[in-house]
Amino acid sequence: MKRVTIYDVAKEAGVSLATVSRVINGSNVVKGPTRDKVQAAVDKLGYKPNAIAQGLALQKSTTIGLVVPEASFTYTGQIINGLIDVAKIYSYNIILHTITAGITDLSTVIEDIIKSHVDGVILYYDKQDVPEMETLSKYNIPIVLIGGRIHGERICSVYVDIEKAVYELTTKYLEEGKDQIAIIEDRKNQYACTQMVNGATRAFEAKGKKFDGFLEIPSEARTSYLFLQQWLRDHRYDLMIGNRDSQAMAIVNAARENDIQIPNEMEVACVIDTKYNAMMRPQISSFSIPSYDLGAVSMRVMTKMLSNEMEADRMIELSYLFTPRQTTKN
């Protein structure tokens, strides 16, 4: 079937291309009867304006650039779903850009974003510092950062306070007399790792103790699992915390192979909750982080920034809930 074009609409309505363009782009120049005639032709032919061409006329692309590290796809799916659902409500298109470790870095993606003339950028990024934001700011592009805690005139953040979550969990165990607590390094997300360690450190300091349970994975170890297989032969903990579900699974499996009973001899928890935590046996205790809401709220914040409706608070914190399962005693 032939695609309906603006030329077809102009011919059907008996007006010029410029008139059709003005009506489609919301101009008040065209008078009522002519506007109605153009709209009737649009409805009859089922014409759908091209978003990019329409954006050029409006000096807007009605498009948002979304940047997500490829390695995070397993736990950003719901974030993307929430973002897209809200984008549809406000008639925005999403262009997905991915960062692949060792292949595509953020600087390269930033160049593509600038060339595509997007209205704004939503960035899920697992680095503590994002210097590339200065480049985007020079182009006056609104930015929403998911997960980080950076704000500025054209930058907003939507996040869950992982440091506070780990602080509260660690405090609970310390008050039960359990101070052998370890946090396993997540080489794919150093920023989250830093937050987790900061939370545990604050909890220990509040009890007059020092936290020294951060387990850095040696560079020669290919995976967390291979490292833990060896490490747990000679080390025991009351609680081990991982960032991702795969890390928690590695802890549980390595513990089993070293005859450590979960949760009777050692408890295990992870920060990011996914469907796999409930599928694992034993089921893994974790924090329920509102991933869908992170995406939905981030897109809503972006629409407010683009329409100059943004309120003073540019750092929006969402809540979390600890979900105990079979790898913890309560």
Side-chain angles (χ1 to χ4, degrees), residues 69-83:
E70 187 178 22
S72 71
F73 277 175
T74 54
Y75 50 89
T76 55
Q78 284 298 307
I79 292 177
I80 295 173
N81 287 342
L83 193 150

Side-chain angles (χ1 to χ4, degrees), residues 162-173 199 202-203 287 320:
I162 293 175
E163 180 177 326
K164 184 168 69 174
V166 173
Y167 168 83
E168 291 176 351
L169 182 63
T170 303
T171 298
K172 173 182 176 295
Y173 278 81
R202 285 202 300 115
F287 288 94
Y320 55 83

Side-chain angles (χ1 to χ4, degrees), residues 105-118:
D105 60 15
L106 183 57
S107 298
T108 303
V109 171
I110 294 298
E111 290 181 16
D112 292 339
I113 288 173
I114 293 169
K115 290 176 183 176
S116 64
H117 301 288
V118 297

Side-chain angles (χ1 to χ4, degrees), residues 17-38:
L17 293 176
T19 298
V20 175
S21 178
R22 292 188 185 104
V23 172
I24 290 171
N25 292 308
S27 172
N28 295 320
V29 175
V30 183
K31 295 181 179 179
T34 304
R35 178 185 299 276
D36 293 341
K37 191 161 50 173
V38 172

Side-chain angles (χ1 to χ4, degrees), residues 9 53 56 108 119 162 227 307 327 330:
V9 175
L56 289 172
T108 303
D119 292 331
I162 293 175
F227 164 70
S307 58
T327 57
N330 49 50

Side-chain angles (χ1 to χ4, degrees), residues 1-12:
M1 184 177 179
K2 181 185 174 183
R3 182 176 180 273
V4 178
T5 68
I6 191 173
Y7 299 97
D8 299 319
V9 175
K11 183 178 179 180
E12 177 69 25

